[in-house]
Amino acid sequence: MEFRPSEFMAGVRERRPLVHHITNYVTVNDCANICICAGGSPVMTDGDDVADMVSISSSTVVNIGTLNARTVGSMEVAFRTASSKGIPMLLDPVGAGATAYRTETAEALMSMRPTVIKGNAGEIGVLSGIGGDVKGVDSHGSDDAAEAAAQLARATGSIVVATGETDYVSDGDVTYRLENGTGMLGNVSGTGCMLSSVMGCYIGAFGRNMDAVASAVTVFNVAAEAASGRCGGPGTFKPVLMDALFALDGQTVDAATRCERL
Amino acid sequence: MEFRPSEFMAGVRERRPLVHHITNYVTVNDCANICICAGGSPVMTDGDDVADMVSISSSTVVNIGTLNARTVGSMEVAFRTASSKGIPMLLDPVGAGATAYRTETAEALMSMRPTVIKGNAGEIGVLSGIGGDVKGVDSHGSDDAAEAAAQLARATGSIVVATGETDYVSDGDVTYRLENGTGMLGNVSGTGCMLSSVMGCYIGAFGRNMDAVASAVTVFNVAAEAASGRCGGPGTFKPVLMDALFALDGQTVDAATRCERL
Amino acid sequence: MEFRPSEFMAGVRERRPLVHHITNYVTVNDCANICICAGGSPVMTDGDDVADMVSISSSTVVNIGTLNARTVGSMEVAFRTASSKGIPMLLDPVGAGATAYRTETAEALMSMRPTVIKGNAGEIGVLSGIGGDVKGVDSHGSDDAAEAAAQLARATGSIVVATGETDYVSDGDVTYRLENGTGMLGNVSGTGCMLSSVMGCYIGAFGRNMDAVASAVTVFNVAAEAASGRCGGPGTFKPVLMDALFALDGQTVDAATRCERL
């Protein structure tokens, strides 16, 4: 690769971006804690002070994992504020394709031009129009998640990340294939949401930057690899993952990186 | 016993039921993760797509631990949808008896004929009319939790589970007494909610089935027994419990089972 | 010191206060579990039964970490009920100073005369009028957090706690400086919220009492010191902190106490 994840990791830790979140109530605590372990400072609000809080933040992360009329309104305020002030914004369209409400909400937010759209392969498949199978909030990718990511990136202007056993990051022009990670991530609720929070730190520190986004994925997945060897199962994996991300050193992450340009 | 919990456990793991939840915001993350560790796939929504999400789910779990006018409406939609489609549904009437609002909400949901009603002995005592002492969301059972469970089962047509140091499962005709478990479960918030999620997996895979429900209780409690010997206190108990449930093997659970028909 | 934290700790464990919370959805699970580990029994409701639930509680804890129009209304009901019945009440004004909405909400709740106001040094600085720098929900204290705490205590009649590397407890007349704790507390989301829950136990058991409040801070921080030496990072620190608080013995806490009257 032309970039080193360690450099972006160091930059995030130094700048300590304030990452505003409107995320689901299932995994929000994990998002807050992984954000700290990645080097950021999390803040969550979806009430009357969303615009004020986004205005002082380095980035905003919107995750539709649990949504209702009130919070969807707050998500739109967050994106409108971020957009008008040039603050990087990430959309995690959890469950798009599973219900019409989620698909439509994701499309409405997508039209506000987030810096990054990050979903699993099924969600990105659905949103790209290529198609995908979404069951609840899990999914199985289309045969070509890379193509779905690239196509959605071209259609939206966003950097698109499609996660799965293999992860893809695309700006529509260039696409990276990332091979780090562990199957244990699939046994814990919210690891996708946590990855979005880590990405929120990286775009908070570096703005719209393919290499920063790919570094966020890599750093998280390398920490997960380390944690999977040190835990006793899905329950202890999560705290150990946080320890591992917090302590990760640059040499380790660069040596472990498995990322190639397609 | 006439049944082996290991067979139900294997069935759940094989079928991987999608378990929809409307639960409280205190313990929802633990519900999601224990559901995965039990072999299911959790999904949480209480917004405008409840009916759509319940329709694609294997079961729905409704827990009134934190309720408000909006979410109570969503709970009713979830049960109405499940009822009309023959999807198994579980009610956990947290805090019934502590406040009139909770008792009335529990009664309204109970009248929608859930497949399973699961509460602690105090809650089941109150709902059965036998009476019980509910302080906040903790409680002490009436002297005869078995009788309360059987009576409520006869009155509602539901399978009723009354938990405590000893757990009872009754369909009004047959009642099981289950003796597995550990006092450590009382030192962690939400272990009752987690048990409801595990039951959601078992009724999602097997429908209305006394033996499946008793197996869910047993499997969870046997995992808890294993975890209590491997943790350092209430904080580490929870992740270790998840590890233990995820890794539990059939022989261990059958050998440890302490269940008798009354 | 004139008091021994061990005596208050024993009293809380014996009386097992029921602590009602309206807190944020980010850290609410940790608040529930630390409350149990401190010797209390937590209950959370922000719906139509707030007044009923507060009425049967030993104390009420209000934390504005995530607030919206509905929950702010519930917070006011909680404080109004507690006030009219002489039930101890604690306010944690998370993020006051970061947005006008939070500052105004904190001021409105502060005017209802909570027994304790507990914030970080920045929040207390802002509310005291001395000033402080609040970025998101983190902050840096004014140069004189002790003076801010004393001034706010005199203005409100509340016992005021200003937390940071050094913690201060003041009733406007007497001020304590507390030096226990560990930097690891700053690497975990919600440790401030957890401390508020622990304080909720202590005022639930002992009412308006400076020594009880200072004991709550000390007991929590001594447990954190023990946990910091036994964990692998921020992820494992949290469960180990809960284990440590649950198991803490009186001799250890009294021997470790670093508290002086200014």
Side-chain angles (χ1 to χ4, degrees), chain A residues 15-18 21-25 28-30 32-33 36-37 41-49 52-53 56 58 70 236 238-240 242-244 246-247, chain C residues 25-30 65-70 95 98-102 134-138 140 184 186-190 231-239:
Chain A
R15 298 175 200 184
R16 199 157 186 243
L18 182 65
H21 293 71
I22 299 180
T23 186
N24 65 78
Y25 59 79
V28 58
N29 184 261
D30 296 328
N33 278 308
I36 296 172
C37 290
S41 175
V43 68
M44 277 75 180
T45 195
D46 59 25
D48 288 353
D49 60 350
D52 283 355
M53 199 66 94
I56 59 167
S58 311
R70 186 183 68 76
T236 48
K238 191 166 67 177
V240 173
M242 294 192 184
D243 288 357
F246 187 77
Chain C
Y25 59 81
V26 184
T27 66
V28 58
N29 184 262
D30 296 328
T66 53
L67 70 182
N68 61 57
R70 186 182 67 74
T99 67
Y101 184 48
R102 283 165 190 263
V134 181
K135 184 196 177 202
V137 292
D138 283 336
H140 302 280
M184 188 56 85
N187 295 325
V188 178
S189 175
C231 70
T236 49
F237 174 70
K238 191 166 66 177

Side-chain angles (χ1 to χ4, degrees), chain B:
Chain B
M1 291 306 304
E2 304 94 284
F3 66 93
R4 290 195 296 168
S6 65
E7 291 180 5
F8 291 97
M9 184 172 79
V12 167
R13 287 172 174 174
E14 189 191 324
R15 297 176 200 183
R16 199 160 186 242
L18 182 65
V19 183
H20 170 257
H21 294 70
I22 299 180
T23 185
N24 64 80
Y25 59 80
V26 184
T27 66
V28 57
N29 184 261
D30 296 327
C31 292
N33 279 308
I34 205 80
C35 179
I36 295 172
C37 291
S41 175
V43 67
M44 275 76 180
T45 194
D46 59 24
D48 288 352
D49 60 351
V50 169
D52 283 356
M53 198 65 94
V54 170
S55 298
I56 60 168
S57 296
S58 311
S59 62
T60 186
V61 171
V62 165
N63 171 311
I64 66 167
T66 53
L67 71 181
N68 61 57
R70 186 182 67 75
T71 55
V72 169
S74 298
M75 291 171 187
E76 289 167 350
V77 171
F79 268 13
R80 200 175 306 126
T81 306
S83 185
S84 76
K85 293 182 184 284
I87 293 168
M89 49 211 252
L90 180 144
L91 172 64
D92 189 340
V94 179
T99 67
Y101 184 48
R102 284 165 190 263
T103 308
E104 285 158 18
T105 301
E107 286 171 347
L109 292 166
M110 215 163 68
S111 74
M112 300 176 81
R113 305 183 63 83
T115 314
V116 175
I117 302 169
K118 190 238 86 172
N120 59 37
E123 290 154 359
I124 298 301
V126 165
L127 294 175
S128 71
I130 285 182
D133 174 28
V134 181
K135 184 195 176 203
V137 293
D138 282 336
S139 82
H140 302 280
S142 65
D143 284 348
D144 201 345
E147 181 48 33
Q151 195 162 310
L152 187 60
R154 281 189 295 268
T156 57
S158 302
I159 295 173
V160 175
V161 182
T163 60
E165 204 175 324
T166 299
D167 305 308
Y168 299 94
V169 178
S170 181
D171 65 2
D173 191 18
V174 175
T175 300
Y176 293 153
R177 174 164 58 203
L178 299 99
E179 299 277 8
N180 292 103
T182 160
M184 189 55 85
L185 288 164
N187 295 326
V188 178
S189 173
T191 50
C193 309
M194 288 186 237
L195 175 54
S196 290
S197 290
V198 174
M199 286 184 187
C201 295
Y202 280 66
I203 61 173
F206 291 99
R208 191 187 193 285
N209 183 319
M210 277 277 284
D211 294 350
V213 171
S215 292
V217 177
T218 299
V219 162
F220 181 75
N221 280 336
V222 170
E225 291 171 4
S228 71
R230 280 186 245 152
C231 70
T236 49
F237 174 70
K238 191 166 69 177
V240 173
L241 167 60
M242 294 192 185
D243 288 358
L245 182 62
F246 187 77
L248 198 61
D249 72 284
Q251 274 188 301
T252 303
V253 70
D254 288 345
T257 299
R258 294 174 62 197
C259 172
E260 64 174 321
R261 190 174 173 145
L262 296 186

